[in-house]
Amino acid sequence: QKQNTTRPLISFLKNGDLDKSKFIKIYKQRENHYLGSANFIIDTDNKSILNITMKIKSLLFENEIIN
């Protein structure tokens, strides 16, 4: 599939910070696509990097993506 080069990209403010309002707008437009195409959805709220990594590894093993 050819990449759509006209879609809006995440932008940054002049000071280098993420333009949060634009990011939220773009995310809300794309959220259903992201969720619909995801093989796994992992809740990362209040979890450590180690905990998230172990969850990803566990899912990969359980679904025989890695062995």
Side-chain angles (χ1 to χ4, degrees), residues 20-51:
K20 292 178 186 175
S21 64
K22 189 167 183 181
F23 176 85
I24 290 168
K25 180 180 176 186
I26 291 170
Y27 180 79
K28 288 186 181 296
Q29 291 171 348
R30 298 178 184 175
E31 184 176 19
N32 286 338
H33 175 73
Y34 293 152
L35 295 174
S37 61
N39 291 318
F40 309 106
I41 298 172
I42 300 170
D43 177 13
T44 60
D45 290 347
N46 302 312
K47 304 233 177 8
S48 70
I49 292 172
L50 178 60
N51 184 275

